[in-house]
Every structure is written in C-alpha cells, then in structure tokens.
C-alpha cells in the first residue's frame, strides 16, 4: 500500500516559484524536503526479523513498526530471490506494517521500507534475511503434504514438462500459493518458467519457450515443516535432477501429407505420410513423445469400433512412437504405402514406411516434440491425454499459477485411459 507524502511544504514551494517569476524553475533541495536524498530510516523503524547470523522462522509473520512519533511508514515491499512478493497490510496511520501471506522455508528475502518524517522528508531502509525451518510445533492431527517430482532422472527432449504430484488435495488459493512458492525449479542455462495447477493434486512446470538444448534442470521443495493450512504442513520431497538433449521436432502437414524433421533448427529429413481420414482426423497442435514401443498390438474395439464392422482391425504394428495416451502414434504402416504422400487413410495415427518409421523411432525420444498442422481434427488437449501443455499460450499458462494468475486450476484433466492405439 503506498501513501502520498504530506503536501503542505510542496504547496508552499509552488507558490514561491510563482512569486519569484520565470527566472526560477524550481526550489532548492533545502526548500523542499521531497527533493532531498532519502535519509536512512534504520533508527525510525523496528523490524522483528532475526538477529545477525540467525534465520527467521517462516511461520512467524513479519512486522515493521514506525518508532518515530512524528513519522510514518508509507510503503513496504517484500520479495524473494525469484521476485515473488509477500502480501502485507499497512495501518491507515502508517504506524505498522505486517505480512499477510506465509513465507517459504530456506528462502532469501529482501524488504524495502519507505518512510517520511514529520516534515514529509522521505526515508528508506533495505532489510534482508533468510528463513530456516519452522520452529513452531505442528498442530495436533495435521497432515503432511508430500511431493513427488517427475518425470524422473534421465535425459529428455526440450518439450518435456516437469510435474509435481501432491499427496493431498490443495484447493484454497492462498494455500496453493504457499505450495507453489516452495516448489523450486532452476536450470542451466536459466529460463523463464512457471507452474500451472492442472488439478488439486498435480502441477506442471514449463518454460515460456522450449527448454534449451543440453540443459541441466533441478527441482526441489522447501516445504518441509512449513504450515500450509491449519491442519496441513509440508513434508519431505526428494529432489530431482534431469537434463535435455538436442532439440528434435517433427512437423506433420496433414494437407501436404509430409512430415518434416528438424534437429537443432536444421531440417534433416522429409517423410511421406498418411494421417487421419474423415471421421478419424489426427489432432492438431503440439504433442510430446510419451513412450516408444517396438511392437504393439492395435485393436479397434478399444476405441469404440465394433468388431467385424467395416472399420474394425486387430494387427501388430512396428516402430510405434506414442504421443497420446488414447492411442495416437507415429508408426510403420506398410499396408498404406500407396497412400503415403497422397491421401489420408488412417484412424488418427501418422503412418509411414517401415524404413522411415524405424529411423523416426531411433531418432525421437521421450520429451521430443511432434506437431500436427492443417488437420481437420480438434486441437490436442492441454492435459489428461499426454502433454499438450504447449498448446496454451504463455498468458494462458501463467493464469494457472497461484502466484501469477491466482485463478485456480487449468482445464480439468480427463481420466488417463491407456487405451489400445488405433493403426493407420
């Protein structure tokens, strides 16, 4: 909350300028206290932060009090090292400011205090402190909120979102903010990124753009012992470190019946393909490789096609690269070679020759990107059927953050049904 300084002195200065005429453009620093350098407000305020060499208890609210009987606090901002603000409330008379949102454990904070004295002269003071583990005992019967980070150790493509699975639902926006503030993600090279609440128990993290190539990504939680709600405290969480490989992206132009593969921004292969025919259109949008299956049996009955009907099938499929849980793959389709490059005849998958499918299978890995354009199908869902996270704009993505958007979860995920896939 920011309050305007007293204006009685400033008004007097303005009148003086008018009286003296055009030869003067303003008053001197001695005549207007607002034009002076801010004084050090250390002696004018008291702060309940930790003593030197100590860490603050994150469960204890911050409090700053104006000790100067003729002065007041005009503004206080408190931010952590990542730039996240701590909410607070300033008394109407400027005598006291206190925090209204929880602090995170093991976090560095900077507090900037603005004051003014009885003459309206501005004062400033910058305070820093670090929080430790909470010292207050947990309330009786409190639950512990565990966190499991994903996708697991290993090397992934640059499109791989990160995940955090909670052991208990968190619905309250203020409690979500506490949880999100305690889930730390860092990368080398550094990126701008944000968490997004998929539902009450799951969050996804992605950068504004794809991850850098050959990056190292670290995830950790500072929630252990932190009071999240009246009967919910943070529990232990195993940190996770993973890495990215080269940027590998496939773009399938359904209308042109061509799939183009790019590696590190350079085109490396064009492949003739067939995609979903009318009634079984391939989903548009960006998808992330979920898994690879060298041989998979595909059954039409698992996607609602009656056995024995004109569209039914039951066949083995080789070199299948999965991009949705509902059964969309890039795979070998030797039975449709005559249509590849010319017509779309599949039940939703992207089919190609066995040789091209084997090359694709060997080139793409979990987290790599497969984009479909110019299909008559719907756009890939953001959640619930794989990783469609990249189909949300950056503004839409940030709206799912309790620290940025604060509006709650994104679209509700569908039940992750690991259905048998459909062939082409």
């Amino acid at each position: 909350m920011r309050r305007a300084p007293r204006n009685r002195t400033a008004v007097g200065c303005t009148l003086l300028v008018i009286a003296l005429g055009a030869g003067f453009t303003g008053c001197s620093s001695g005549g207007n206290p607002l034009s002076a350098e801010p004084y050090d407000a250390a002696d004018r305020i008291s702060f309940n932060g930790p003593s030197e060499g100590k860490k603050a208890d994150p469960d204890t609210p911050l409090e700053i009090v104006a000790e100067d009987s003729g002065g007041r606090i005009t503004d206080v901002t408190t931010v952590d090292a990542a730039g996240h603000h701590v909410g607070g409330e300033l008394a109407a008379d400027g005598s006291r400011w206190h925090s209204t949102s929880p602090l995170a454990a093991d976090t560095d904070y900077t507090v900037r205090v603005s004051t003014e004295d009885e003459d309206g002269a501005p004062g400033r003071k910058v305070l820093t402190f670090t929080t430790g583990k909470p010292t207050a005992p947990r309330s009786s019967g409190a639950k512990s909120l565990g966190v499991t980070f994903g996708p697991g150790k290993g090397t992934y493509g640059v499109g791989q979102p990160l995940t955090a699975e909670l052991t208990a639902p968190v619905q309250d926006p203020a409690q979500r903010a506490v949880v999100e503030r305690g889930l730390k993600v860092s990368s080398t090279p550094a990126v701008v990124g944000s968490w997004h609440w998929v539902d009450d128990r799951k969050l996804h993290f992605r950068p504004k753009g794809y991850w850098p190539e050959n990056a190292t990504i670290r995830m950790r939680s500072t929630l252990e012992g932190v009071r999240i709600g009246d009967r919910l405290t943070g529990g232990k969480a195993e940190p996770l470190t993973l890495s990215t490989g080269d940027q590998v992206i496939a773009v399938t132009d359904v209308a042109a019946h061509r799939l183009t593969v790019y590696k590190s921004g350079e085109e490396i292969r064009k492949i003739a393909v067939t995609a979903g025919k009318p009634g079984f259109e391939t989903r548009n949008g960006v998808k992330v490789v979920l898994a690879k299956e060298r041989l998979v049996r595909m059954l039409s009955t698992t996607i609602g096609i009656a056995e024995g009907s004109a569209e039914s099938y039951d066949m083995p499929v080789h070199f299948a690269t999965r991009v949705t849980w509902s059964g969309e793959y890039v795979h070998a389709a030797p039975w449709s070679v005559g249509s590849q490059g010319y017509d779309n005849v599949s039940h939703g998958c992207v089919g190609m020759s066995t040789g091209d499918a084997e090359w694709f299978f060997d080139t793409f890995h979990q987290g790599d990107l497969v984009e479909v354009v110019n299909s008559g199908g719907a756009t890939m869902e953001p959640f619930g059927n794989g990783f469609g996270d990249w189909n949300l704009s950056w503004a839409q993505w940030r709206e799912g953050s309790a620290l940025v958007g604060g509006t709650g979860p994104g679209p509700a995920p569908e039940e992750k049904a690991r259905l048998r896939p459909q062939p082409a």
Side-chain angles (χ1 to χ4, degrees), residues 138 143-147 221-226 228 233-237:
R138 295 180 181 180
K143 294 182 179 179
S144 178
L145 182 72
V147 182
S221 170
T222 60
L223 290 173
E224 184 178 357
V226 172
I228 298 168
T233 59
K236 292 184 177 181

Side-chain angles (χ1 to χ4, degrees), residues 124-170:
R124 301 285 188 273
K125 185 61 181 177
V126 178
L127 309 163
T128 60
F129 67 93
T130 300
T131 55
K133 299 294 184 185
T135 59
R138 295 180 181 180
S139 60
S140 176
K143 294 182 179 179
S144 178
L145 182 72
V147 182
T148 301
F149 292 119
K153 294 180 181 179
T155 300
Y156 297 86
V158 300
Q160 180 65 51
L162 309 180
T163 63
E165 297 269 2
L166 309 179
T167 57
V170 178

